[in-house]
Amino acid sequence: MGTVVVTDEQIREAVPMADAVAAVRQAFADLAAGAFEIPVRAALGGGAFLSMPVHHRPSGTAAVKTLSLNFDRTPAITGTVVWSDVSRTGGLAADAGALTALRTGAASGVATDLLADPGASRLALIGAGGQAADQVRAVHAVRPLSRLTVTARTPARAEALVASLRAELPGVESATAPDPAAAVAGADVVCCATNTAEPLFAAADLPERVHVNAIGSYRPGMRELPDDLLAAATVVVDDEEAVLEESGEILHALGSGAIDRGDLVELGTALDGGLPERAPRTVFKSVGVAVQDWALARLLAERFLP
């Protein structure tokens, strides 16, 4: 048996967001239990090229994602995820762009389900690039939305995203905002999906109770969140080793003394009951972990491999 190639359209048809959230939730639980062999990803060319391998010991399966990133092109992410099973002679390959957007959204869904208030329904989205739509879909999967507000550096892109999502979100009030401060006012959940080098808003711009997902920055020179937000919030990260290597927000806040390493809780640990008393504001900081790619690649393998 050779390698089965799965297209973007097949990925979307085969893996609804609710299934993606469930698979990624289990993967983070397995990560906390020590089921994965997972090195920190290799970043080459200043982060323009990434390679992310992972091995799931109990199942004898592995996934490797290789991709390139260029935010001046569309799509910004191109590459391949390859899934292998030690017991099979063939494997599966999937487009990295579609799978990355889906699994990144799913992680925000897991964190939002864990950390956001049960009645949260108003989402502010900052950014309108390739990751943005799946952030909305994931939050909506765990906290049905009543309102969506989108802002982006290019207003036309925010307007186009809102228009494209309206058919998926019947009954949800949707609009654009002129800037991040206006977008987050009154939000229950905020999703940041940008490649900015400076914080998108001040902590004072946020409501007193809010959950924030920050998934856009993935290198030390990028930073979406201000130190004073992290200092006062419950901070959950996808993987401590990864964020200490790659997250500009976390590294800056540690360097300024706003937080210390003891303030960071890994998502898998939090899912297993290891979350301290919740502050009124919560933050999920993700730089992306290969177990997310493995989780969705495994779903695809179950659907497409004999």
Side-chain angles (χ1 to χ4, degrees):
M1 181 178 69
T3 299
V4 174
V5 178
V6 182
T7 66
D8 292 9
E9 293 76 15
Q10 288 174 315
I11 292 171
R12 293 294 177 178
E13 291 174 1
V15 186
M17 182 56 78
D19 290 359
V21 170
V24 169
R25 180 184 289 113
Q26 184 59 54
F28 274 110
D30 287 354
L31 178 62
F36 287 101
E37 178 183 359
I38 174 172
V40 174
R41 67 185 171 199
L44 306 173
F49 302 93
L50 303 177
S51 177
M52 303 170 65
V54 59
H55 168 227
H56 186 244
R57 297 185 183 94
S59 65
T61 59
V64 179
K65 179 166 73 175
T66 57
L67 55 81
S68 67
L69 298 98
N70 183 345
F71 294 101
D72 293 326
R73 74 183 181 203
T74 302
I77 297 174
T78 61
T80 306
V81 177
V82 177
W83 187 90
S84 302
D85 184 334
V86 72
S87 67
R88 297 175 184 259
T89 57
L92 178 141
D95 177 75
L99 194 143
T100 298
L102 184 57
R103 63 79 143 159
T104 305
S108 291
V110 174
T112 300
D113 196 28
L114 176 71
L115 298 169
D117 285 346
S121 68
R122 298 169 296 180
L123 171 63
L125 172 66
I126 306 174
Q131 303 292 313
D134 282 307
Q135 293 294 305
V136 177
R137 294 175 182 127
V139 173
H140 187 55
V142 300
R143 293 291 188 276
L145 297 177
S146 64
R147 190 179 79 190
L148 168 65
T149 305
V150 180
T151 189
R153 183 173 52 190
T154 305
R157 296 189 70 179
E159 293 165 2
L161 179 62
V162 167
S164 71
L165 287 171
R166 282 196 174 116
E168 297 183 40
L169 304 171
V172 176
E173 177 187 349
S174 56
T176 61
D179 54 58
V184 303
D188 302 311
V189 180
V190 175
C191 289
C192 305
T194 76
N195 62 346
T196 183
E198 298 294 335
L200 294 164
F201 47 76
D205 295 327
L206 294 164
E208 292 185 6
R209 294 191 66 86
V210 68
H211 171 64
V212 179
N213 298 305
I215 62 92
S217 61
Y218 65 96
R219 299 301 298 151
M222 298 176 176
R223 185 173 166 229
E224 293 184 301
L225 306 180
D227 285 356
D228 54 348
L229 170 59
L230 296 171
T234 298
V235 180
V236 175
V237 299
D238 52 5
D239 181 82
E240 182 174 333
E241 184 179 4
V243 298
L244 291 176
E245 181 79 18
E246 299 174 331
S247 169
E249 292 93 346
I250 299 301
L251 292 171
H252 193 280
L254 287 169
S256 71
I259 62 171
D260 59 45
R261 287 186 61 170
D263 295 321
L264 306 178
V265 182
E266 290 188 333
L267 181 56
T269 300
L271 291 167
D272 194 36
L275 189 68
E277 185 176 354
R278 182 191 186 280
R281 292 173 174 174
T282 57
V283 168
F284 173 57
K285 175 56 204 170
S286 172
V287 294
V289 185
V291 303
Q292 300 164 243
D293 303 302
W294 173 88
L296 296 199
R298 187 180 192 182
L299 287 184
L300 293 173
E302 291 171 353
R303 286 159 171 76
F304 291 101
L305 294 184

